[in-house]
Amino acid sequence: MWVKEFKIAIIEENTEQISKLLQEVPAFDKVIEMTEVLYLIKEADTLMQRLQNENIQIKNKLQKHIDFVKATQEKPSSQLDTSL
C-alpha cells in the first residue's frame, strides 16, 4: 500500500505527500521491494531537486521584474510639497 501511495505522489508531484510518506517508511521483507523503494526514493529526490530549481528560476525572474518596475517608477521628491 505504501509503495502504491508513494508512486502516486511522485506521479502527481505531490511534495507534501512525498514528505509525509518518507517519514513513515515501513520495513520491507524482500530485497526486491527494498530495491524498488530505493529507486522510488531516488526518483522522488530528483523530482524535488527539479522543482527546487524551477522555484529558484521563477524567483529570479520575479526579482528582475520587481527591479524593472522599481527602475521605471518616478522617485518621490525628497522635499516637502507645501503647495497643497
Side-chain angles (χ1 to χ4, degrees):
M1 187 69 176
W2 183 93
V3 174
K4 184 177 180 181
E5 288 179 24
F6 198 68
K7 286 178 182 179
I8 292 170
I10 291 172
I11 290 168
E12 293 178 346
E13 297 185 357
N14 186 340
T15 56
E16 290 179 21
Q17 184 69 8
I18 290 170
S19 178
K20 178 184 168 196
L21 289 168
L22 284 174
Q23 293 174 4
E24 307 168 349
V25 179
F28 296 98
D29 298 330
K30 299 178 183 175
V31 174
I32 226 165
E33 290 175 334
M34 292 179 203
T35 306
E36 181 181 10
V37 169
L38 176 65
Y39 283 113
L40 287 171
I41 291 173
K42 286 182 180 180
E43 185 64 32
D45 181 55
T46 302
L47 169 66
M48 297 292 220
Q49 288 179 10
R50 180 179 57 81
L51 292 174
Q52 184 178 24
N53 289 337
E54 287 176 8
N55 285 337
I56 290 170
Q57 289 175 351
I58 291 169
K59 179 185 169 241
N60 290 339
K61 287 179 183 178
L62 287 172
Q63 187 60 51
K64 285 181 182 180
H65 289 296
I66 290 169
D67 292 342
F68 174 76
V69 169
K70 284 181 181 178
T72 58
Q73 290 180 340
E74 275 189 42
K75 295 189 180 187
S77 173
S78 61
Q79 297 178 349
L80 180 59
D81 188 5
T82 56
S83 63
L84 299 173

